Amino acid sequence: MKLFFKKIARVIVRSAIYAYCKVVYRAEIIGKENIPKDETLIFCGNHRNYLDPPLMVVTVGRHVRFMAKEELRKNPFFAFLGVVFDGIYVKRDSKDVTALKTTLKALKNGESIALFPEGTRNGLEKGEKVKDGAAFFALRTNTKVVPVGISGGLKMFEKVTIKYGSPIDLSNYQEIYKNKETEKQALEDASKLIMDSIIELTK
């Protein structure tokens, strides 16, 4: 019964946020046809402001579990969204084994996840190195990555555009990843491919 009410809450909250994005930010969604309907996926987008996570959640057209920093639980709104959409909270700047295990289990159970490879808002602009979490999860579970480019919407009533690219198959990196001597290089190369694809979609 608990799951039943959560599903109802998801529909209501998703509809409300979608309407908000459409009215306030005139949200334009491009490339939804690129998203496979019945396949476990990892959605990776660029991160600019607070709008990005809910925008992805309500436009992707399927249930996704978002990976977010632990600090967001202090915000009542984002804490509520975390409960409704089964968010996975991560302790930044530490090896959060619990979040890692939860994410791997979700993917192996056929659930899809979403995250930001930049690790923080405007990470690339701040000179931050792209995080290899998405590549790690993709290679570990043999899951395709859907790049997502978000542009505009930095101010109220400014149009926001979200583009979904074609799924990236990282199977070519599997053999390199399995070799301990080249594992790090495989993660770096795969992470760069993911981030480059995201950036291309923001143009």
Side-chain angles (χ1 to χ4, degrees), residues 19-141:
Y20 172 79
C21 290
K22 273 291 188 181
V23 173
V24 179
Y25 292 96
R26 293 174 290 138
E28 181 182 14
I29 308 148
I30 300 173
K32 277 190 71 173
E33 67 277 5
N34 292 322
I35 305 172
K37 297 189 184 320
D38 303 310
E39 189 175 333
T40 301
L41 298 165
I42 298 173
F43 293 86
C44 294
N46 57 309
H47 193 17
R48 309 98 28 82
N49 62 14
Y50 77 95
L51 183 66
D52 302 330
L55 181 63
M56 285 178 66
V57 167
V58 303
T59 60
V60 72
R62 59 192 296 178
H63 177 53
V64 294
R65 299 185 64 179
F66 226 104
M67 297 190 73
K69 60 182 181 180
E70 177 75 24
E71 292 87 339
L72 284 180
R73 279 183 168 174
K74 297 177 183 178
N75 181 301
F77 176 68
F78 285 108
F80 171 70
L81 289 183
V83 172
V84 173
F85 293 102
D86 299 321
I88 301 173
Y89 290 99
V90 182
K91 295 177 182 177
R92 293 200 298 182
D93 302 320
S94 68
K95 292 184 178 180
D96 194 339
V97 179
T98 301
L100 188 149
K101 288 182 177 179
T102 300
T103 305
L104 287 175
K105 184 178 179 181
L107 290 169
K108 289 175 180 177
N109 286 342
E111 297 181 273
S112 293
I113 65 165
L115 55 87
F116 297 120
E118 290 174 278
T120 186
R121 282 181 291 181
N122 301 308
L124 292 182
E125 290 183 18
K126 296 175 183 176
E128 297 278 342
K129 183 179 179 181
V130 176
K131 304 298 185 290
D132 62 14
F136 168 78
F137 292 126
L139 291 171
R140 195 67 179 268
T141 62

